[in-house]
Amino acid sequence: MADVTADRGAVGVSQGLGRAVILLGPPGAGKGTQAQRIAQRYHLPHLSTGDMFRDNIQRDTELGRKAKPLMERGELVPDEIVLGMVANRIGQADCAKGFVFDGFPRTLQQADDLERICRQYKLGCTIVLHMVVNPALLMRRLTGRRICKAGGHIYNVYERPPRREGICDVDGSELIHRPDDSEGVIGERLHAYDRQTQPLVEYYKSRELLTPVDAMAVADTVTEAIARILDGAIAHK
Ligand code: AP5
């Protein structure tokens, strides 16, 4: 998903990290916003499982028909469906030099399977960026989010409004409110995060793969903090 202020290749690192970069955090932590910027900066593919499902729903595929009712209720899609989709994507040529994950893994099973897939493709150690944010901010960020229909550019009516209401600054297309960004469904999504995804913090911490990132800072500051971590990883490759 694209972001309206994405940094355009400031670092010029074209060789790739050779690793999976995971943005781990609750709905509204800013994973999509940062994943887009980092993917551009390091020339890596941005893999968003949420976007993959929304694309399948729009195309009315069998996978999309399975995912739709679960996403509408704010529940996770079953692991076996997610894993098949992800394994196919990682197998594509553009992922050979690493990739940025936004929204995956979300369960311990998904994390185990990702490690297996990374070994299979001989990728280096996974880098997990834990987007730490005060839960009280999340409802406002998500209810205020608007997404451009054509290019996926992300706005926020409170924090980062478009110049013309309802219209994308970048490509002039309509801005939409994601159906799962209603208060009731956001509550369910946050609950699913606490129950099924939060245990991954301990999982990655115990493997010494987790680096916390202050995701409450302004988006540019968060991007710079992440870039320092990734530049350090490249320097020590
Ligand atoms: P998905 O699409 O992955 O949604 P999510 O994890 O709930 O995350 P969001 O996209 O809502 O938030 P974000 O952290 O990306 O925040 P953003 O950058 O947009 O998943 C949707 C559904 O698909 C799931 O509920 C599940 O059903 C299914 N699914 C997906 N993956 C799955 C998996 N692996 N397993 C099972 N099911 C799966 O930012 C949010 C807002 O905040 C924006 O308006 C933005 O402008 C603003 N903002 C961002 N950063 C800042 C900042 N630093 N300061 C101020 N505002 C900011």
Side-chain angles (χ1 to χ4, degrees):
M1 193 173 277
D3 165 48
V4 283
T5 56
D7 184 335
R8 298 193 182 271
V11 167
V13 180
S14 58
Q15 73 273 37
L17 284 167
R19 304 193 193 184
V21 177
I22 295 172
L23 294 175
L24 177 64
K31 303 182 296 296
T33 300
Q34 297 301 330
Q36 175 61 26
R37 293 168 175 220
I38 291 303
Q40 274 192 11
R41 189 160 176 151
Y42 293 90
H43 308 288
L44 296 171
H46 169 195
L47 312 187
S48 159
T49 42
D51 285 352
M52 292 179 204
F53 286 128
R54 282 183 286 277
D55 175 58
N56 275 277
I57 291 171
Q58 202 178 357
R59 290 186 290 114
D60 196 26
T61 65
E62 192 186 336
L63 196 151
R65 285 192 291 276
K66 284 183 185 156
K68 188 168 186 255
L70 298 159
M71 290 174 74
E72 284 173 350
R73 292 198 296 269
E75 295 169 23
L76 294 191
V77 177
D79 288 339
E80 60 277 14
I81 296 179
V82 184
L83 287 163
M85 183 175 79
V86 164
N88 271 339
R89 183 65 187 88
I90 295 178
Q92 290 172 20
D94 62 334
C95 289
K97 289 182 176 176
F99 39 85
V100 183
F101 257 128
D102 147 23
F104 179 89
R106 268 174 140 103
T107 64
L108 293 169
Q109 181 65 55
Q110 291 180 18
D112 278 343
D113 276 46
L114 177 62
E115 289 310 300
R116 184 181 49 72
I117 295 169
C118 287
R119 275 199 303 276
Q120 182 188 336
Y121 288 106
K122 300 194 172 24
L123 289 160
C125 261
T126 303
I127 299 173
V128 185
L129 303 166
H130 180 208
M131 311 279 288
V132 182
V133 61
N134 179 344
L137 281 180
L138 299 175
M139 189 62 83
R140 180 180 158 92
R141 280 194 183 179
L142 291 170
T143 52
R145 174 168 55 187
R146 299 292 181 274
I147 299 171
C148 143
K149 214 171 171 179
H153 304 103
I154 305 172
Y155 295 83
N156 193 286
V157 295
Y158 308 117
E159 313 283 345
R160 194 184 301 155
R163 284 193 294 273
R164 277 192 298 156
E165 195 185 326
I167 304 291
C168 177
D169 293 347
V170 180
D171 56 31
S173 71
E174 184 194 348
L175 298 184
I176 55 162
H177 194 201
R178 242 169 68 174
D180 59 348
D181 277 348
S182 63
E183 280 195 27
V185 182
I186 292 169
E188 287 306 317
R189 288 162 58 203
L190 293 172
H191 188 53
Y193 178 83
D194 287 343
R195 227 180 32 240
Q196 291 165 280
T197 310
Q198 178 69 29
L200 294 183
V201 171
E202 210 38 61
Y203 174 96
Y204 284 119
K205 202 187 273 178
S206 68
R207 287 163 173 74
E208 299 183 351
L209 298 174
L210 191 87
T211 308
V213 173
D214 174 9
M216 285 182 292
V218 294
D220 288 348
T221 306
V222 180
T223 308
E224 289 313 312
I226 293 176
R228 276 195 296 280
I229 296 164
L230 298 185
D231 288 346
I234 290 168
H236 292 101
K237 223 162 108 170

